[in-house]
Amino acid sequence: MEFNIQSALQILERTPFVIETMLQDLEEQWTHTNEGGDSWSAFDIVGHYIHGEKTDWVPRMNIILDDDAEKHFVAFDRFAQFSDSKGKTLNQLLNEFKVFRAKNIDQLKLKGLTEDLLNRTGVHPTFGNVTLRQLLSAWVVHDLTHIYQVSRVMAKQYEIEVGPWKEFLGVLK
Amino acid sequence: MEFNIQSALQILERTPFVIETMLQDLEEQWTHTNEGGDSWSAFDIVGHYIHGEKTDWVPRMNIILDDDAEKHFVAFDRFAQFSDSKGKTLNQLLNEFKVFRAKNIDQLKLKGLTEDLLNRTGVHPTFGNVTLRQLLSAWVVHDLTHIYQVSRVMAKQYEIEVGPWKEFLGVLK
């Protein structure tokens, strides 16, 4: 499947609502437990989405499209949510994610992205030159990877309780 | 986390709405493409959920709880959705899933399940003796494993488009 803005928007616009439907009003045992060690809970993941809205996808799009900008992206802080989410409820974070995402979608739509613009590049701290098309595709897949992660983190809470079914349930492997 | 009915219901009641929020009104490129070979598309997965509502989880619960029933479960048909879903739209399937799930939740709630009842057993075609607690836990994790799968199947459609980001996106591995 080739990237195009309309198909990408279909995913980007719904992700905050998918995450909200998955998580709102759940017991904290489901939402605040991680996979062990320094892995992330569903609560942590929502904070990570919000930090991405503030500092990653659309700010990087703007670096690529702004004629005057220095083209090097700022490195993304994968741990910012641990301080940013402190003292907030999950429902607060779910709302924040919806608000920031809606603003970013508005910005994206205003750019009137053509094929030429999608081929412009910026400099990623690890990968070097990347195109706007790759950045926006990665934004979509990033949405899906964390839906994937949230469902896995929650499933693991019943890893023992399912008994022999573990063998048949891919998410537990 | 130990199984209990209230926590399990929090997931079971929302799954059809999570799947609906993920999939309704999406382009068929997102919903009708699989991961290659005889793997399943999102459309196939919704049909699989419906077949589970009709023949798997609650029918097996009833086998365990019915004093007169033969205790062997009927083997589950993992391919029934390919015939059952034929000619239907995804939105039809999403509605069917909601209707069947709501009826099954009603049945579950009417059972007034105690610890004693949760410890009763039936005979699984592969695993042998399993408890009702394990069956209901597996129902919850089964819900989550297919949310996990839907997000992965859709993410893979952009596997090429993300370019070097593939390395950072767990769902593509």
Side-chain angles (χ1 to χ4, degrees):
Chain A
M1 182 168 175
E2 281 186 21
F3 174 83
N4 77 65
I5 295 286
Q6 292 316 316
S7 306
L9 280 172
Q10 290 200 318
I11 305 296
L12 293 171
E13 287 179 330
R14 74 184 57 207
T15 297
F17 299 96
V18 172
I19 291 291
E20 180 179 62
T21 310
M22 288 180 85
L23 298 179
Q24 74 182 341
D25 304 324
L26 276 183
E27 289 172 2
E28 292 206 348
Q29 273 202 293
W30 286 122
T31 58
H32 285 62
T33 312
N34 66 17
E35 296 175 277
D38 57 0
S39 66
W40 296 358
S41 68
F43 179 82
D44 299 330
I45 293 164
V46 182
H48 168 75
Y49 273 122
I50 293 167
H51 196 66
E53 295 307 301
K54 292 185 198 167
T55 70
D56 191 341
W57 311 103
V58 164
R60 287 176 172 186
M61 172 180 80
N62 289 331
I63 287 174
I64 291 174
L65 294 176
D66 181 348
D67 288 328
D68 298 324
E70 151 64 28
K71 295 297 171 192
H72 284 79
F73 302 156
V74 178
F76 182 76
D77 180 355
R78 291 185 63 256
F79 303 99
Q81 69 272 17
F82 294 107
S83 50
D84 289 355
S85 302
K86 210 163 258 175
K88 294 184 179 165
T89 65
L90 178 57
N91 283 346
Q92 280 177 300
L93 294 186
L94 292 169
N95 280 325
E96 266 187 50
F97 182 28
K98 282 195 286 190
V99 170
F100 281 107
R101 174 60 59 98
K103 284 185 191 159
N104 281 332
I105 297 271
D106 285 348
Q107 278 207 56
L108 176 64
K109 286 180 174 170
L110 285 170
K111 295 294 181 189
L113 293 176
T114 59
E115 287 300 305
D116 272 358
L117 293 175
L118 288 170
N119 289 330
R120 288 207 190 174
T121 58
V123 185
H124 186 280
T126 306
F127 309 136
N129 274 348
V130 290
T131 64
L132 179 55
R133 178 193 316 274
Q134 289 169 335
L135 175 77
L136 297 177
S137 301
W139 190 13
V140 170
V141 176
H142 180 268
D143 273 12
L144 295 167
T145 204
H146 288 295
I147 293 170
Y148 179 82
Q149 186 184 15
V150 166
S151 57
R152 187 185 69 220
V153 176
M154 294 205 295
K156 290 236 174 117
Q157 307 313 319
Y158 272 1
E159 188 165 9
I160 306 295
E161 294 297 63
V162 301
W165 261 282
K166 183 171 172 180
E167 186 191 325
F168 281 9
L169 293 163
V171 71
L172 297 178
K173 281 170 190 161
Chain B
M1 181 167 176
E2 281 186 24
F3 174 84
N4 76 65
I5 294 286
Q6 291 318 316
S7 306
L9 280 172
Q10 289 201 318
I11 304 297
L12 293 171
E13 287 179 330
R14 75 184 57 209
T15 297
F17 299 96
V18 172
I19 292 290
E20 180 179 61
T21 310
M22 289 179 84
L23 298 179
Q24 74 182 341
D25 304 323
L26 277 184
E27 289 173 3
E28 292 206 349
Q29 273 201 293
W30 285 121
T31 58
H32 285 63
T33 312
N34 67 17
E35 295 174 278
D38 57 1
S39 66
W40 296 357
S41 68
F43 179 82
D44 299 330
I45 293 165
V46 182
H48 169 75
Y49 272 123
I50 293 168
H51 195 67
E53 295 307 301
K54 290 185 196 167
T55 70
D56 190 343
W57 310 103
V58 163
R60 287 176 172 187
M61 172 181 80
N62 289 331
I63 287 173
I64 291 174
L65 294 176
D66 180 349
D67 289 329
D68 297 325
E70 151 64 27
K71 294 298 172 193
H72 285 79
F73 301 155
V74 179
F76 181 77
D77 180 356
R78 290 184 62 256
F79 302 99
Q81 67 273 15
F82 294 107
S83 49
D84 289 354
S85 301
K86 210 164 258 176
K88 295 184 179 164
T89 65
L90 178 58
N91 282 347
Q92 279 178 301
L93 294 186
L94 293 169
N95 280 325
E96 266 188 48
F97 182 30
K98 281 195 285 190
V99 170
F100 280 107
R101 173 58 61 95
K103 284 185 191 159
N104 281 331
I105 297 272
D106 285 348
Q107 277 206 56
L108 176 65
K109 287 180 173 171
L110 284 170
K111 296 295 181 189
L113 293 176
T114 59
E115 286 300 304
D116 271 359
L117 292 175
L118 288 170
N119 288 331
R120 286 207 192 176
T121 58
V123 184
H124 186 279
T126 306
F127 309 136
N129 275 346
V130 289
T131 63
L132 179 55
R133 178 193 315 274
Q134 290 169 336
L135 175 76
L136 297 176
S137 301
W139 190 13
V140 170
V141 176
H142 180 267
D143 273 12
L144 296 166
T145 205
H146 288 295
I147 293 170
Y148 179 81
Q149 186 184 14
V150 166
S151 57
R152 186 185 70 221
V153 175
M154 295 204 296
K156 289 234 174 120
Q157 307 313 318
Y158 273 0
E159 188 166 8
I160 307 295
E161 294 297 64
V162 301
W165 261 282
K166 183 172 171 182
E167 187 191 323
F168 282 7
L169 294 163
V171 72
L172 297 178
K173 280 173 191 157

